[in-house]
Amino acid sequence: MADLSDPTIDEAYQDVRSDKSETNWLLLDYESDRSDKLTVTQTGTGGLAELRDALGDSKASYAYVRVTFSNDKESQREKFILVVWIGPGCKVMRKAKISVHTADVKQVLRVYSIEVPARERDDLKEDPIVVKLRKAGGASYDGV
């Protein structure tokens, strides 16, 4: 089981979800290679582009991101995504625990539209994610 008892995790989660906050992502990393305790290592206001730069190649991490996109000329939508990052240099034992730990993370970072598994930074390009969010969101008037 992953240890998500750090109160700063819920604080960061609420901050990302808040309409009054500029913060639009949070990153959870393991305290150490041998630990199952997750902590907030970064938050930011630069969206997916900034998050991609924050990910470590040798780490397994979880991120929660608010994605804002135009549905049409008159409206904007905000949706949340859960990112499960397994860097290309992540150790085998850490990879083995990810599926079990992801279930624990989903109990804390509860509300999201889609889960995005990412193995390389290109998996977190905004355009393909927005297409998935539109499909997951139901009504789409622009043929996507």
Side-chain angles (χ1 to χ4, degrees):
M1 262 184 96
D3 179 354
L4 291 129
S5 61
D6 185 346
T8 61
I9 295 172
D10 190 58
E11 291 167 15
Y13 171 71
Q14 296 302 333
D15 194 32
V16 171
R17 292 197 51 79
S18 173
D19 292 335
K20 296 177 178 133
S21 173
E22 295 283 318
T23 304
N24 59 17
W25 62 270
L26 69 85
L27 181 64
L28 301 179
D29 283 313
Y30 291 94
E31 219 172 36
S32 71
D33 283 345
R34 295 186 181 272
S35 174
D36 289 339
K37 183 176 177 76
L38 287 161
T39 60
V40 176
T41 51
Q42 277 185 268
T43 61
T45 58
L48 284 166
E50 186 179 51
L51 171 64
R52 278 195 311 267
D53 292 339
L55 297 169
D57 285 344
S58 63
K59 292 184 176 184
S61 306
Y62 302 90
Y64 187 73
V65 187
R66 180 182 349 144
V67 179
T68 304
F69 57 95
S70 295
N71 206 37
D72 53 38
K73 289 180 221 164
E74 287 81 38
S75 67
Q76 282 209 329
R77 299 176 86 175
E78 285 188 340
K79 296 289 182 182
F80 298 90
I81 65 170
L82 176 66
V83 176
V84 180
W85 168 256
I86 300 175
C90 184
K91 293 184 178 173
V92 174
M93 286 308 295
R94 179 60 72 200
K95 285 182 190 179
K97 292 181 177 183
I98 289 298
S99 63
V100 173
H101 288 185
T102 299
D104 298 331
V105 170
K106 289 177 180 179
Q107 297 298 312
V108 176
L109 307 179
R110 297 172 295 284
V111 180
Y112 57 91
S113 296
I114 60 171
E115 180 180 334
V116 179
R119 303 297 178 265
E120 52 191 59
R121 285 175 178 77
D122 282 352
D123 293 337
L124 295 174
K125 287 189 173 175
E126 193 153 347
D127 290 341
I129 289 173
V130 168
V131 168
K132 288 179 187 174
L133 286 169
R134 282 193 175 117
K135 287 180 181 176
S140 177
Y141 303 105
D142 56 5
V144 176

